[in-house]
Amino acid sequence: AQSVSQHNHHVILSEAASLELGCNYSYGGTVNLFWYVQYPGQHLQLLLKYFSGDPLVKGIKGFEAEFIKSKFSFNLRKPSVQWSDTAEYFCAVIRSTTSGTYKYIFGTGTRLKVLA
Amino acid sequence: DSGVTQTPKHLITATGQRVTLRCSPRSGDLSVYWYQQSLDQGLQFLIQYYNGEERAKGNILERFSAQQFPDLHSELNLSSLELGDSALYFCASSPGMAGIYEQYFGPGTRLTVT
């Protein structure tokens, strides 16, 4: 079965530290990749997305992600985190099916806590 | 505020009961998605509707059903509730049904089954 793995369930960093959250998926075909974020008490919102083209995509709030097809990965990065980045981060993979519908697969999430 | 509304915010009910969760998508969005978020399984896709028709099905139990009405709001019906159904249920919407669209999530309905 297709799956999305986020290996780090909990990450604690100090402000100004660099961040990399891993995301690996198991499907070998064409996929659309997303990172969503859920700040405390708020709804999930889009950080960034990749469909095609430049495998390095930039999102909001200084986040970026790199699609490495050979590794089936779409890791999220930020050079210097802030306390306000404390949130839960979800990687999502969306792929089309032969019947013309889509499969929506989210990872289990990574809870990031940034210490001031 | 994403523009997606969900009611109720909290729901407490007993095992064996039936509940209905309601979602209003963003203005102009035709697709509605339902997700279940539990502590041990993360965010699980349940079902998608596009302009009133079911378009994709995920890990939705037979005890659960959904529909999208002509005004595009959607309802998720959960019946014969079990303790394990306790979770946060999210609705999301997008303009179209293709996989390239960003999904806009609602605040969720927290269901507690006792």
Side-chain angles (χ1 to χ4, degrees):
Chain A
Q2 288 85 42
S3 65
V4 175
S5 298
Q6 291 182 244
H7 306 293
N8 312 103
H9 298 295
H10 293 89
V11 174
I12 301 175
L13 295 172
S14 298
E15 273 194 316
S18 65
L19 169 73
E20 180 158 4
L21 301 182
C23 173
N24 288 90
Y25 60 95
S26 63
Y27 180 66
T30 301
V31 294
N32 298 323
L33 302 160
F34 300 76
W35 274 98
Y36 284 85
V37 61
Q38 187 175 25
Y39 297 103
Q42 295 188 28
H43 57 86
L44 277 93
Q45 54 190 284
L46 182 70
L47 263 184
L48 47 79
K49 58 188 176 184
Y50 172 80
F51 304 140
S52 62
D54 188 344
L56 185 62
V57 293
K58 296 196 184 296
I60 61 171
K61 304 187 180 185
F63 285 90
E64 64 179 32
E66 184 175 13
F67 170 54
I68 302 179
K69 190 173 182 179
S70 60
K71 294 186 178 179
F72 301 94
S73 70
F74 190 54
N75 293 352
L76 181 71
R77 299 196 294 244
K78 186 170 184 178
S80 175
V81 294
Q82 302 172 312
W83 176 80
S84 58
D85 293 324
T86 294
E88 189 160 16
Y89 294 81
F90 294 90
C91 179
V93 172
I94 298 175
R95 67 167 188 90
S96 59
T97 70
T98 52
S99 59
T101 62
Y102 290 87
K103 290 273 189 190
Y104 304 91
I105 308 163
F106 277 70
T108 51
T110 296
R111 291 195 175 190
L112 171 66
K113 185 177 174 102
V114 180
L115 305 175
Chain B
D1 184 1
S2 65
V4 177
T5 59
Q6 290 186 247
T7 55
K9 286 187 179 178
H10 301 277
L11 200 48
I12 301 174
T13 189
T15 53
Q17 296 297 306
R18 173 191 169 94
V19 297
T20 297
L21 312 183
R22 182 188 169 103
C23 168
S24 293
R26 284 190 330 153
S27 177
D29 283 357
L30 299 178
S31 263
V32 169
Y33 311 78
W34 285 98
Y35 292 88
Q36 179 192 57
Q37 184 182 29
S38 54
L39 281 174
D40 57 344
Q41 294 203 12
L43 203 62
Q44 298 281 317
F45 167 67
L46 295 178
I47 198 163
Q48 177 201 8
Y49 278 82
Y50 176 77
N51 205 20
E53 292 191 10
E54 181 187 305
R55 294 300 302 178
K57 236 176 181 178
N59 302 321
I60 188 166
L61 299 172
E62 285 191 12
R63 300 184 285 109
F64 296 0
S65 64
Q67 53 185 326
Q68 186 180 28
F69 295 87
D71 67 352
L72 300 177
H73 91 270
S74 179
E75 293 182 355
L76 179 67
N77 301 297
L78 314 176
S79 60
S80 303
L81 285 168
E82 302 175 358
L83 295 177
D85 297 328
S86 295
L88 198 52
Y89 291 84
F90 287 107
C91 166
S93 73
S94 68
M97 57 163 282
I100 61 172
Y101 290 104
E102 169 184 356
Q103 294 181 30
Y104 296 86
F105 283 80
T109 293
R110 184 169 295 281
L111 173 66
T112 302
V113 182
T114 61

Coordinates of all heavy atoms in Angstrom, one line a residue, chain B residues 4-72:
Chain B
V4 N -13.6 27.7 5.4 CA -14.3 26.5 5.5 C -14.9 26.4 7.0 O -14.1 26.6 7.9 CB -13.4 25.3 5.3 CG1 -14.2 24.0 5.5 CG2 -12.8 25.4 3.9
T5 N -16.2 26.2 7.1 CA -16.8 26.1 8.4 C -17.2 24.7 8.7 O -17.7 24.0 7.8 CB -17.9 27.1 8.6 OG1 -18.9 26.8 7.6 CG2 -17.5 28.5 8.3
Q6 N -17.1 24.3 9.9 CA -17.6 23.0 10.4 C -18.4 23.1 11.6 O -18.0 23.9 12.5 CB -16.4 22.1 10.6 CG -15.6 21.6 9.4 CD -14.5 20.6 9.7 OE1 -13.4 20.9 9.6 NE2 -15.0 19.4 10.1
T7 N -19.5 22.4 11.7 CA -20.2 22.3 12.9 C -20.6 20.9 13.3 O -20.8 20.1 12.3 CB -21.5 23.2 12.8 OG1 -22.3 22.7 11.7 CG2 -21.2 24.6 12.6
P8 N -20.8 20.6 14.5 CA -20.4 21.4 15.7 C -18.9 21.3 15.9 O -18.1 20.6 15.2 CB -21.1 20.7 16.8 CG -21.1 19.2 16.4 CD -21.3 19.2 14.9
K9 N -18.4 22.1 16.9 CA -16.9 22.1 17.2 C -16.6 20.9 18.0 O -15.5 20.3 17.9 CB -16.6 23.4 17.9 CG -16.5 24.6 17.0 CD -15.9 25.8 17.8 CE -15.9 27.0 16.9 NZ -15.4 28.2 17.6
H10 N -17.5 20.6 18.9 CA -17.3 19.4 19.8 C -18.6 18.6 19.8 O -19.7 19.2 19.8 CB -17.0 19.9 21.2 CG -15.8 20.7 21.3 ND1 -14.5 20.2 21.4 CD2 -15.6 22.1 21.4 CE1 -13.6 21.2 21.5 NE2 -14.3 22.4 21.5
L11 N -18.4 17.3 20.0 CA -19.6 16.4 20.1 C -19.2 15.3 21.0 O -18.1 14.6 20.8 CB -19.9 15.9 18.7 CG -21.2 15.3 18.3 CD1 -22.3 16.2 18.8 CD2 -21.3 15.1 16.8
I12 N -20.0 15.0 22.0 CA -19.8 13.9 22.9 C -21.0 13.0 22.8 O -22.2 13.5 23.0 CB -19.6 14.4 24.3 CG1 -18.4 15.3 24.4 CG2 -19.4 13.2 25.3 CD1 -18.2 15.9 25.8
T13 N -20.8 11.8 22.5 CA -21.9 10.9 22.4 C -21.6 9.5 22.9 O -20.4 9.2 23.2 CB -22.4 10.8 20.9 OG1 -23.6 10.1 20.8 CG2 -21.3 10.1 20.1
A14 N -22.5 8.6 22.9 CA -22.3 7.3 23.5 C -22.1 6.2 22.4 O -22.5 6.5 21.2 CB -23.4 6.9 24.4
T15 N -21.5 5.1 22.8 CA -21.3 4.1 21.8 C -22.7 3.6 21.3 O -23.7 3.7 22.0 CB -20.6 2.8 22.4 OG1 -21.3 2.4 23.6 CG2 -19.1 3.2 22.8
G16 N -22.7 3.2 20.0 CA -23.9 2.8 19.3 C -24.7 3.9 18.7 O -25.6 3.6 18.0
Q17 N -24.4 5.1 19.0 CA -25.2 6.2 18.5 C -24.8 6.6 17.1 O -23.8 6.1 16.6 CB -25.1 7.4 19.5 CG -25.6 7.2 20.9 CD -27.1 7.0 20.8 OE1 -27.9 7.7 20.3 NE2 -27.5 5.8 21.4
R18 N -25.6 7.6 16.6 CA -25.3 8.1 15.2 C -25.2 9.6 15.3 O -25.9 10.2 16.0 CB -26.5 7.7 14.3 CG -26.4 8.3 12.9 CD -27.7 8.1 12.2 NE -27.8 8.9 11.0 CZ -27.5 8.4 9.8 NH1 -27.0 7.2 9.6 NH2 -27.6 9.2 8.7
V19 N -24.2 10.2 14.6 CA -24.0 11.6 14.6 C -23.8 12.1 13.2 O -23.5 11.3 12.3 CB -22.8 12.1 15.4 CG1 -23.0 11.7 16.9 CG2 -21.5 11.5 14.9
T20 N -24.1 13.4 13.0 CA -23.9 14.0 11.7 C -23.0 15.2 11.8 O -23.3 16.1 12.7 CB -25.2 14.4 11.0 OG1 -26.0 13.3 10.8 CG2 -25.0 15.1 9.7
L21 N -21.9 15.3 11.1 CA -21.0 16.4 11.1 C -21.3 17.2 9.8 O -21.4 16.6 8.7 CB -19.6 15.9 11.1 CG -19.2 14.9 12.1 CD1 -17.7 14.6 12.1 CD2 -19.6 15.3 13.5
R22 N -21.2 18.5 9.9 CA -21.5 19.3 8.8 C -20.4 20.2 8.4 O -19.6 20.7 9.2 CB -22.7 20.2 9.1 CG -23.2 21.1 8.0 CD -24.3 22.1 8.5 NE -24.5 23.1 7.5 CZ -25.6 23.1 6.7 NH1 -26.5 22.2 6.9 NH2 -25.8 24.1 5.8
C23 N -20.3 20.4 7.1 CA -19.2 21.2 6.5 C -19.7 22.1 5.4 O -20.4 21.7 4.5 CB -18.1 20.3 5.9 SG -16.8 21.1 4.9
S24 N -19.3 23.4 5.5 CA -19.6 24.4 4.4 C -18.3 24.8 3.8 O -17.4 25.3 4.4 CB -20.3 25.6 4.9 OG -21.6 25.3 5.4
P25 N -18.1 24.5 2.5 CA -16.8 24.8 1.8 C -16.6 26.3 1.6 O -17.6 27.1 1.8 CB -16.9 24.1 0.5 CG -18.4 24.1 0.2 CD -19.1 23.9 1.5
R26 N -15.4 26.7 1.2 CA -15.2 28.1 0.8 C -16.1 28.4 -0.4 O -16.4 27.6 -1.2 CB -13.7 28.2 0.3 CG -12.7 28.2 1.4 CD -11.3 28.7 0.8 NE -11.2 28.3 -0.6 CZ -10.4 28.9 -1.5 NH1 -9.7 30.0 -1.1 NH2 -10.3 28.5 -2.8
S27 N -16.4 29.7 -0.4 CA -17.3 30.1 -1.5 C -16.6 29.8 -2.9 O -15.4 30.2 -3.1 CB -17.5 31.7 -1.4 OG -18.2 32.2 -2.5
G28 N -17.3 29.2 -3.7 CA -16.8 28.9 -5.1 C -16.1 27.5 -5.2 O -15.8 27.0 -6.3
D29 N -15.7 26.9 -4.0 CA -15.1 25.6 -4.1 C -16.1 24.5 -4.4 O -17.2 24.5 -3.8 CB -14.3 25.3 -2.8 CG -13.0 26.1 -2.7 OD1 -12.7 26.8 -3.7 OD2 -12.4 25.9 -1.7
L30 N -15.8 23.6 -5.3 CA -16.7 22.5 -5.7 C -16.3 21.2 -5.0 O -17.2 20.3 -4.9 CB -16.7 22.4 -7.2 CG -17.1 23.6 -8.0 CD1 -17.0 23.3 -9.5 CD2 -18.6 24.0 -7.6
S31 N -15.1 21.0 -4.6 CA -14.7 19.8 -4.0 C -14.7 19.9 -2.5 O -14.3 20.9 -1.9 CB -13.2 19.4 -4.4 OG -13.2 18.6 -5.4
V32 N -15.2 18.8 -1.8 CA -15.1 18.7 -0.4 C -14.5 17.4 0.0 O -14.7 16.4 -0.6 CB -16.6 18.8 0.2 CG1 -16.5 18.4 1.7 CG2 -17.1 20.2 0.1
Y33 N -13.6 17.4 1.0 CA -12.9 16.3 1.4 C -13.2 16.1 2.9 O -13.3 17.1 3.7 CB -11.4 16.4 1.3 CG -10.9 16.9 -0.1 CD1 -11.0 18.3 -0.4 CD2 -10.4 16.1 -1.0 CE1 -10.6 18.7 -1.7 CE2 -9.9 16.5 -2.2 CZ -10.1 17.9 -2.6 OH -9.6 18.3 -3.8
W34 N -13.2 14.8 3.4 CA -13.3 14.5 4.8 C -12.1 13.7 5.2 O -11.7 12.8 4.6 CB -14.6 13.8 5.1 CG -15.8 14.6 5.1 CD1 -16.7 14.7 4.0 CD2 -16.3 15.4 6.1 NE1 -17.7 15.5 4.4 CE2 -17.5 16.0 5.6 CE3 -15.9 15.7 7.4 CZ2 -18.3 16.9 6.4 CZ3 -16.7 16.6 8.2 CH2 -17.9 17.1 7.7
Y35 N -11.6 14.1 6.4 CA -10.4 13.4 7.0 C -10.7 13.1 8.4 O -11.4 13.8 9.1 CB -9.2 14.3 6.9 CG -8.6 14.6 5.6 CD1 -9.1 15.7 4.8 CD2 -7.6 13.8 5.0 CE1 -8.6 15.9 3.5 CE2 -7.1 14.0 3.8 CZ -7.6 15.1 3.0 OH -7.1 15.3 1.8
Q36 N -10.1 12.1 8.9 CA -10.1 11.7 10.3 C -8.7 11.8 10.9 O -7.8 11.3 10.3 CB -10.6 10.3 10.5 CG -10.7 9.8 11.9 CD -11.0 8.3 12.0 OE1 -10.2 7.5 11.5 NE2 -12.0 7.9 12.7
Q37 N -8.6 12.5 12.0 CA -7.2 12.6 12.6 C -7.3 12.0 14.0 O -8.0 12.5 14.9 CB -6.8 14.1 12.7 CG -5.4 14.2 13.3 CD -4.9 15.6 13.4 OE1 -5.7 16.5 13.6 NE2 -3.6 15.8 13.3
S38 N -6.6 10.9 14.2 CA -6.5 10.3 15.5 C -5.1 10.3 15.9 O -4.2 10.4 15.1 CB -7.1 8.9 15.5 OG -6.5 8.1 14.5
L39 N -4.8 10.1 17.3 CA -3.5 10.2 17.8 C -2.5 9.2 17.2 O -1.4 9.5 16.9 CB -3.5 10.1 19.3 CG -3.9 11.3 20.1 CD1 -4.1 11.0 21.5 CD2 -2.9 12.5 19.8
D40 N -3.0 8.0 17.0 CA -2.1 6.9 16.6 C -2.0 6.8 15.0 O -1.1 6.1 14.6 CB -2.5 5.6 17.2 CG -4.0 5.3 16.9 OD1 -4.7 6.2 16.4 OD2 -4.4 4.1 17.1
Q41 N -2.9 7.4 14.3 CA -3.0 7.1 12.8 C -2.8 8.4 12.0 O -2.9 8.3 10.8 CB -4.2 6.4 12.4 CG -4.3 5.0 13.0 CD -5.3 4.1 12.2 OE1 -5.7 4.5 11.1 NE2 -5.6 3.0 12.7
G42 N -2.6 9.5 12.6 CA -2.4 10.7 11.8 C -3.6 11.1 11.1 O -4.8 10.8 11.5
L43 N -3.4 11.7 9.9 CA -4.5 12.3 9.1 C -4.9 11.3 8.1 O -4.1 11.0 7.2 CB -4.1 13.6 8.5 CG -5.2 14.6 8.1 CD1 -5.9 15.0 9.3 CD2 -4.5 15.8 7.4
Q44 N -6.1 10.7 8.2 CA -6.5 9.7 7.2 C -7.6 10.3 6.3 O -8.7 10.7 6.8 CB -7.1 8.5 8.0 CG -6.1 7.8 8.9 CD -5.2 6.9 8.1 OE1 -5.6 6.2 7.2 NE2 -3.9 6.9 8.4
F45 N -7.4 10.1 5.0 CA -8.4 10.6 4.1 C -9.6 9.6 4.1 O -9.4 8.4 4.0 CB -7.8 10.6 2.7 CG -8.8 10.8 1.5 CD1 -9.5 12.0 1.4 CD2 -9.0 9.8 0.6 CE1 -10.4 12.1 0.4 CE2 -9.9 9.9 -0.4 CZ -10.6 11.1 -0.5
L46 N -10.8 10.2 4.2 CA -12.0 9.4 4.2 C -12.7 9.3 2.8 O -12.9 8.3 2.2 CB -13.0 9.9 5.2 CG -12.5 9.8 6.7 CD1 -13.5 10.4 7.6 CD2 -12.2 8.3 7.1
I47 N -13.1 10.5 2.3 CA -13.9 10.6 1.1 C -13.8 12.0 0.5 O -13.6 12.9 1.2 CB -15.3 10.1 1.4 CG1 -16.1 9.8 0.2 CG2 -16.1 11.2 2.2 CD1 -17.4 9.0 0.4
Q48 N -14.1 12.0 -0.8 CA -14.1 13.3 -1.5 C -15.4 13.4 -2.4 O -15.8 12.4 -3.0 CB -12.9 13.5 -2.5 CG -12.9 14.8 -3.3 CD -12.1 14.7 -4.5 OE1 -11.5 13.6 -4.9 NE2 -11.9 15.8 -5.2
Y49 N -16.0 14.5 -2.4 CA -17.1 14.8 -3.2 C -16.7 16.0 -4.1 O -16.0 16.9 -3.7 CB -18.4 15.2 -2.4 CG -19.1 13.9 -2.0 CD1 -18.7 13.3 -0.8 CD2 -20.1 13.4 -2.7 CE1 -19.3 12.1 -0.4 CE2 -20.8 12.3 -2.3 CZ -20.4 11.6 -1.1 OH -21.0 10.5 -0.7
Y50 N -17.2 15.9 -5.4 CA -17.0 17.1 -6.3 C -18.4 17.4 -6.9 O -18.9 16.5 -7.6 CB -16.0 16.7 -7.4 CG -15.8 17.8 -8.4 CD1 -15.1 18.9 -8.1 CD2 -16.4 17.6 -9.7 CE1 -14.9 19.9 -9.1 CE2 -16.3 18.6 -10.6 CZ -15.5 19.7 -10.3 OH -15.4 20.7 -11.3
N51 N -18.8 18.6 -6.7 CA -20.1 19.1 -7.3 C -21.2 18.1 -7.1 O -22.0 17.8 -8.0 CB -19.9 19.4 -8.7 CG -20.9 20.4 -9.3 OD1 -21.4 21.2 -8.5 ND2 -21.0 20.4 -10.6
G52 N -21.3 17.5 -5.9 CA -22.4 16.6 -5.6 C -22.2 15.1 -5.8 O -23.0 14.3 -5.3
E53 N -21.1 14.8 -6.4 CA -20.8 13.4 -6.7 C -19.6 12.9 -6.0 O -18.6 13.6 -5.9 CB -20.6 13.2 -8.2 CG -21.8 13.4 -9.1 CD -21.6 13.0 -10.5 OE1 -20.6 12.4 -10.8 OE2 -22.5 13.3 -11.3
E54 N -19.7 11.7 -5.5 CA -18.5 11.0 -4.9 C -17.4 10.8 -5.9 O -17.7 10.3 -7.0 CB -18.9 9.7 -4.3 CG -17.8 9.0 -3.5 CD -18.2 7.6 -3.1 OE1 -19.2 7.5 -2.4 OE2 -17.5 6.6 -3.5
R55 N -16.2 11.3 -5.6 CA -15.1 11.2 -6.5 C -13.9 10.3 -6.1 O -13.2 9.8 -6.9 CB -14.6 12.6 -6.8 CG -15.5 13.5 -7.5 CD -16.0 12.9 -8.9 NE -14.8 12.7 -9.7 CZ -14.9 12.1 -11.0 NH1 -16.1 11.8 -11.4 NH2 -13.9 12.0 -11.7
A56 N -13.7 10.2 -4.8 CA -12.6 9.4 -4.3 C -13.0 8.9 -2.9 O -13.6 9.5 -2.2 CB -11.3 10.1 -4.3
K57 N -12.5 7.6 -2.7 CA -12.8 7.0 -1.4 C -11.5 6.6 -0.8 O -10.6 6.0 -1.5 CB -13.7 5.8 -1.6 CG -15.0 5.9 -0.8 CD -15.9 4.7 -1.1 CE -17.1 4.8 -0.3 NZ -18.1 3.7 -0.5
G58 N -11.3 6.9 0.5 CA -10.2 6.4 1.2 C -10.5 5.3 2.2 O -11.3 4.4 1.9
N59 N -10.0 5.5 3.4 CA -10.2 4.5 4.4 C -11.5 4.7 5.2 O -11.5 4.8 6.4 CB -9.0 4.5 5.4 CG -7.7 4.2 4.7 OD1 -7.7 3.4 3.8 ND2 -6.7 4.9 5.1
I60 N -12.6 4.8 4.5 CA -13.9 5.1 5.2 C -14.6 3.8 5.5 O -14.7 2.9 4.7 CB -14.8 6.0 4.3 CG1 -16.0 6.5 5.1 CG2 -15.1 5.4 3.0 CD1 -16.7 7.7 4.5
L61 N -15.0 3.7 6.8 CA -15.7 2.5 7.2 C -17.1 2.5 6.6 O -17.7 3.5 6.3 CB -15.8 2.5 8.8 CG -14.5 2.5 9.5 CD1 -14.7 2.8 11.0 CD2 -13.7 1.3 9.3
E62 N -17.6 1.3 6.6 CA -19.0 1.1 6.0 C -20.0 1.8 6.9 O -21.1 2.2 6.5 CB -19.3 -0.4 5.9 CG -18.6 -1.0 4.7 CD -19.2 -2.4 4.4 OE1 -20.2 -2.8 4.9 OE2 -18.5 -3.1 3.5
R63 N -19.7 1.9 8.2 CA -20.6 2.6 9.2 C -20.7 4.1 8.9 O -21.5 4.8 9.5 CB -20.1 2.4 10.6 CG -20.1 0.9 11.0 CD -19.7 0.8 12.5 NE -18.3 1.0 12.7 CZ -17.8 2.0 13.3 NH1 -18.6 3.0 13.8 NH2 -16.5 2.2 13.5
F64 N -19.7 4.6 8.1 CA -19.7 6.0 7.8 C -20.2 6.3 6.4 O -20.0 5.5 5.5 CB -18.2 6.5 7.9 CG -17.6 6.5 9.3 CD1 -18.3 5.9 10.4 CD2 -16.3 6.9 9.4 CE1 -17.7 5.9 11.6 CE2 -15.7 6.8 10.7 CZ -16.4 6.3 11.8
S65 N -20.9 7.4 6.2 CA -21.3 7.8 4.9 C -21.3 9.3 4.8 O -21.2 10.0 5.8 CB -22.7 7.3 4.6 OG -23.6 7.9 5.5
A66 N -21.3 9.8 3.6 CA -21.2 11.2 3.4 C -22.1 11.6 2.2 O -22.4 10.8 1.4 CB -19.8 11.7 3.2
Q67 N -22.4 12.9 2.1 CA -23.0 13.4 0.9 C -22.7 14.8 0.7 O -22.4 15.5 1.7 CB -24.5 13.1 0.9 CG -25.3 13.6 2.1 CD -26.8 13.2 2.1 OE1 -27.4 13.1 1.0 NE2 -27.3 12.9 3.2
Q68 N -22.9 15.3 -0.5 CA -22.7 16.8 -0.8 C -24.0 17.2 -1.4 O -24.5 16.6 -2.4 CB -21.5 17.0 -1.7 CG -21.2 18.5 -1.9 CD -20.1 18.8 -2.8 OE1 -19.8 18.0 -3.7 NE2 -19.4 19.9 -2.6
F69 N -24.5 18.3 -0.9 CA -25.8 18.8 -1.3 C -25.7 19.8 -2.4 O -24.6 20.3 -2.7 CB -26.5 19.4 -0.1 CG -26.8 18.3 1.0 CD1 -25.9 18.0 1.9 CD2 -28.1 17.7 1.0 CE1 -26.2 17.1 2.9 CE2 -28.4 16.7 2.0 CZ -27.4 16.4 2.9
P70 N -26.8 20.1 -3.1 CA -26.8 21.1 -4.2 C -26.2 22.4 -3.8 O -25.6 23.1 -4.7 CB -28.3 21.2 -4.6 CG -28.9 19.9 -4.2 CD -28.2 19.5 -3.0
D71 N -26.3 22.8 -2.6 CA -25.7 24.1 -2.2 C -24.2 23.9 -1.9 O -23.5 24.8 -1.4 CB -26.4 24.8 -1.0 CG -26.3 24.0 0.3 OD1 -25.7 22.8 0.2 OD2 -26.7 24.5 1.3
L72 N -23.7 22.7 -2.1 CA -22.3 22.3 -1.9 C -21.8 22.0 -0.5 O -20.7 21.6 -0.3 CB -21.3 23.3 -2.6 CG -21.6 23.5 -4.1 CD1 -20.6 24.5 -4.6 CD2 -21.4 22.2 -4.9

